[in-house]
Amino acid sequence: MSLNREDVEKLCLLARLKITPEEMTDVASKLSDIVTLVNQLRTADTTEVVPMAHPLDIAQRLREDKVTESDRHEHYQQNASMVERDLYLVPKVIE
Amino acid sequence: MHEATIAQLAQELKSRKISSQELTKHFLERISRLDADLNAFITITQNDALAQAKAADARLASGEGTPLTGIPIAHKDIFCTKGVKTSCGSRMLDNFISPYDATVVARLKQAGAVMLGKTNMDEFAMGSSNETSFYGPAHNPWDRDTVPGGSSGGSAAAVAARMACGATGTDTGGSIRQPAAFSGVTGVKPTYGRVSRYGIVAFASSLDQAGTLTRTAEDAALMLQIMSGPDELDSTALPNLVPDFCKALKDPWENITIGVPDNFFDKDLDPNNAQLIRDALSVFEKLGATIKEIHLENIHLSVPVYYVVAPAEASSNLSRFDGIRYGYRAEGESGDLAEFYMRTRGEGFGAEVKRRILMGTYVLSAGYYDAYYLQAQKIRQLISQDFSRAFEDVDLIAGPTAPTPAFSIGQKINDPIQMYLNDIYTIGAPLAGLPALSTPCGLVNNLPVGLQLIGPHLSEERLLKAAHYFQQETDWHTLVPPGYFE
């Protein structure tokens, strides 16, 4: 099974990930190798097997729906490269 | 001082024969002298370490503290450390100063352990050689031309070269046990959920588990005792109370049955490694264990299952890196928001991370989900059932940790499939959520080889005890890489 340039470009758009033209050939060929590897899964008979939901077969615990976090946005925003008036800045999205 | 184990140092600290400040300075000196050739550390937190050591000495002087009070350790750079860079081996987080501590970090800090620094790792823990790190490969102290294993390669190299008494690691497909095997140290991956994942940069959330890299099983018990247990901050942390791991080591030996999967002795296993594993099994036989051959029907599919499940979860987890809130941000404002995300992520992630994100996106995309992700989760169930059936007849499962000793830097980095197949024996345990460890069991061409032990869910006591008894009968875990005695 091999992935062509178009397949990879589609995945790049879905994953929001830019691949340079120089990287493209290598990415397509190595992804194709990995797809070939995982295609071994098709050989197994899994009729009536329930897919694993949790390795210990337990359900997620629940907690009360209450606010436990304090407002620490100033602290957290120190890691952002562009902040103005407590807001994160993104490239212009509205013309 | 660097020759002593955590258990021995704890005694000396408690009796005030040595101080944590002396000990910490000694390890910082070793790091500054030795790490230039090993690249095991990404960040060295010298000032914090000395301050923590001073506080530890005060605590010990007042007769308080835990067995870890004053002990210098290192954290894999995947654990969030408040006020300290947490890079996860990636350009994406090269500028990230964590605003909080991971639960593991907080608990070890509270116990009085001293943090020497943050260790090198494969980028986002994706790799088996430490070569995918943005900061360059860590080197194996046994032969610096070889890899220390990965992804917790820096932690393994740091402990092997006696630059830290112990280190934390994380294991998703073998990332604690394989580097432990390659570097000649003891690596323990507990049961899924035994240790909180809060504050660990997420890779594959249904597999990720934190554990330890130490010289001995006893030291692992001391660290895991502090690290384990329920955590309000991680809903997947198990509610089960933590047994006394250290007490379990001192319990008398019981004649357990050890299962040895015939599948683990396949054509991929280096015959020299195979011989050492058989020798290790005979040590257990001498202790009175019964060795029984078993067969794990679907284990041969664990690598393909893993390379569907792990990339799928990674593609979702790593979607948070957008360049806006934290981490790397691409220069310039050209293009729309989507274009901006694509540039940021294209420049911030390395080649292996990009491959796994794309692979994960592929197996989750419309039309492929059933054939890949759902099928993988079904086979994962089968693999887990095979283990459960085996544990009806045996107490532990033993086999090799890796097919070969450490390989050369550069040998596999351009062939992902060869790299992935290196984890062939370690992937099964995390797929089934099982605890497992690797303990040194010999040398091939002067490079360490690891014996892997896998136990049923929540059987850490049994596993640590078996490894501890093995280490009482053998001295492989005491070997120092040549050139690192002084």
Side-chain angles (χ1 to χ4, degrees):
Chain A
M1 171 105 189
S2 75
L3 271 70
N4 60 30
R5 191 191 180 88
E6 236 170 63
D7 298 325
V8 177
E9 278 170 356
K10 189 183 160 208
L11 292 174
C12 284
L13 185 65
L14 287 169
R16 299 288 187 267
L17 193 62
K18 190 169 191 133
I19 297 290
T20 63
E22 298 81 59
E23 291 173 300
M24 183 52 82
T25 316
D26 186 58
V27 170
S29 112
K30 284 178 177 154
L31 273 182
S32 301
D33 290 347
I34 302 168
V35 172
T36 303
L37 171 81
V38 303
N39 275 339
Q40 285 178 54
L41 298 181
R42 293 167 184 258
T43 60
D45 180 6
T46 53
T47 331
E48 292 183 29
V49 179
V50 181
M52 180 183 277
H54 189 287
L56 276 74
D57 202 23
I58 53 174
Q60 200 81 323
R61 67 180 163 80
L62 299 174
R63 62 169 172 81
E64 225 180 299
D65 184 16
K66 60 178 183 197
V67 178
T68 54
E69 286 284 318
S70 51
D71 180 4
R72 285 185 282 179
H73 75 271
E74 280 177 16
H75 193 34
Y76 293 154
Q77 284 184 329
Q78 284 171 9
N79 271 301
S81 16
M82 295 173 87
V83 173
E84 205 178 291
R85 282 177 291 164
D86 291 349
L87 301 170
Y88 293 102
L89 295 191
V90 298
K92 195 172 172 184
V93 283
I94 304 164
E95 291 301 326
Chain B
M1 282 189 272
H2 56 272
E3 259 316 294
T5 63
I6 295 177
Q8 292 162 343
L9 289 170
Q11 290 303 323
E12 300 200 7
L13 284 166
K14 198 178 169 192
S15 63
R16 313 288 292 148
K17 268 194 201 133
I18 54 166
S19 73
S20 176
Q21 290 173 88
E22 282 174 78
L23 192 60
T24 302
K25 280 178 192 155
H26 179 75
F27 277 97
L28 287 169
E29 184 278 323
R30 285 185 72 77
I31 294 171
S32 70
R33 181 158 51 87
L34 303 170
D35 199 44
D37 290 338
L38 293 173
N39 197 26
F41 284 86
I42 291 175
T43 304
I44 298 159
T45 50
Q46 178 157 336
N47 295 340
D48 287 352
L50 292 170
Q52 288 171 2
K54 198 175 170 189
D57 282 333
R59 198 166 157 187
L60 290 160
S62 64
E64 286 170 17
T66 76
L68 291 188
T69 305
I71 301 287
I73 59 161
H75 286 300
K76 184 180 184 179
D77 209 16
I78 198 168
F79 290 90
C80 281
T81 42
K82 190 173 181 175
V84 175
K85 178 164 105 171
T86 300
S87 75
C88 218
S90 181
R91 182 187 195 188
M92 186 59 94
L93 288 174
D94 182 47
N95 60 1
F96 179 69
I97 308 294
S98 175
Y100 67 99
D101 276 331
T103 294
V104 164
V105 172
R107 286 183 181 171
L108 287 167
K109 201 183 263 184
Q110 204 177 8
V114 172
M115 178 174 88
L116 295 165
K118 306 289 295 286
T119 58
N120 204 347
M121 55 180 286
D122 281 295
E123 184 179 9
F124 285 104
M126 297 177 193
S128 309
S129 67
N130 212 119
E131 292 170 284
T132 72
S133 169
F134 174 61
Y135 303 92
H139 298 257
N140 191 326
W142 288 87
D143 173 355
R144 289 194 295 271
D145 292 332
T146 67
V147 304
S151 66
S152 311
S155 286
V159 174
R162 276 63 175 164
M163 294 193 293
C165 295
T168 54
T170 55
D171 191 312
T172 303
S175 280
I176 288 175
R177 293 160 288 152
Q178 185 256 21
F182 278 13
S183 303
V185 301
T186 306
V188 183
K189 180 208 96 77
T191 306
Y192 178 75
R194 178 63 103 179
V195 178
S196 166
R197 292 187 295 109
Y198 178 74
I200 298 173
V201 180
F203 162 16
S205 305
S206 77
L207 300 161
D208 296 344
Q209 178 59 202
T212 54
L213 292 112
T214 55
R215 303 251 300 285
T216 64
E218 187 181 20
D219 286 358
L222 287 167
M223 284 184 73
L224 288 170
Q225 196 71 52
I226 304 288
M227 292 162 63
S228 309
D231 182 16
E232 278 296 309
L233 300 170
D234 173 10
S235 64
T236 60
L238 295 171
N240 308 57
L241 292 177
V242 184
D244 189 337
F245 294 139
C246 298
K247 185 178 158 289
L249 302 186
K250 296 183 179 77
D251 287 345
W253 178 261
E254 289 157 48
N255 286 335
I256 56 171
T257 302
I258 299 178
V260 180
D262 56 355
N263 330 53
F264 280 6
F265 290 81
D266 53 7
K267 61 177 174 36
D268 298 312
L269 183 62
D270 180 307
N272 294 315
N273 285 46
Q275 187 53 50
L276 290 178
I277 302 303
R278 291 203 176 88
D279 293 348
L281 292 171
S282 62
V283 171
F284 281 110
E285 269 185 309
K286 258 185 257 161
L287 278 166
T290 307
I291 306 295
K292 183 181 172 183
E293 189 168 289
I294 59 168
H295 184 71
L296 297 168
E297 189 69 36
N298 298 286
I299 198 82
H300 64 289
L301 291 172
S302 58
V303 173
V305 166
Y306 181 85
Y307 281 98
V308 169
V309 174
E313 295 183 14
S315 72
S316 169
N317 273 327
L318 271 62
S319 64
R320 74 192 58 177
F321 298 104
D322 57 5
I324 308 282
R325 294 160 301 146
Y326 48 81
Y328 178 80
R329 179 176 181 132
E331 296 280 334
E333 295 280 319
S334 68
D336 59 9
L337 194 57
E339 162 70 18
F340 166 79
Y341 289 145
M342 289 181 79
R343 277 192 298 124
T344 289
R345 292 160 60 78
E347 292 166 19
F349 292 133
E352 178 64 21
V353 173
K354 286 185 202 174
R355 270 196 291 278
R356 297 212 196 176
I357 291 175
L358 292 173
M359 185 63 199
T361 306
Y362 177 73
V363 299
L364 292 177
S365 59
Y368 292 108
Y369 177 86
D370 285 4
Y372 289 113
Y373 190 73
L374 204 64
Q375 175 74 347
Q377 289 290 59
K378 286 179 179 173
I379 300 172
R380 192 174 169 188
Q381 187 79 281
L382 293 175
I383 290 170
S384 181
Q385 287 168 358
D386 292 344
F387 276 113
S388 301
R389 256 193 301 278
F391 284 126
E392 286 169 15
D393 297 325
V394 303
D395 301 295
L396 292 176
I397 290 173
T401 305
T404 63
F407 46 86
S408 300
I409 293 177
Q411 192 182 330
K412 299 189 179 189
I413 193 67
N414 291 314
D415 187 347
I417 303 297
Q418 281 311 307
M419 190 70 88
Y420 296 174
L421 290 173
N422 200 262
D423 294 337
I424 191 160
Y425 309 124
T426 50
I427 282 177
L431 286 177
L434 301 169
L437 61 77
S438 178
T439 179
C441 72
L443 298 175
V444 169
N445 301 327
N446 295 315
L447 290 171
V449 169
L451 167 77
Q452 183 179 206
L453 297 175
I454 306 173
H457 292 135
L458 298 169
S459 68
E460 285 85 359
E461 290 167 281
R462 192 185 301 166
L463 271 172
L464 289 164
K465 182 177 160 185
H468 180 67
Y469 270 84
F470 180 77
Q471 292 179 351
Q472 304 306 300
E473 299 295 316
T474 58
D475 58 5
W476 303 113
H477 63 289
T478 66
L479 299 183
V480 185
Y484 292 90
F485 293 98
E486 296 302 325

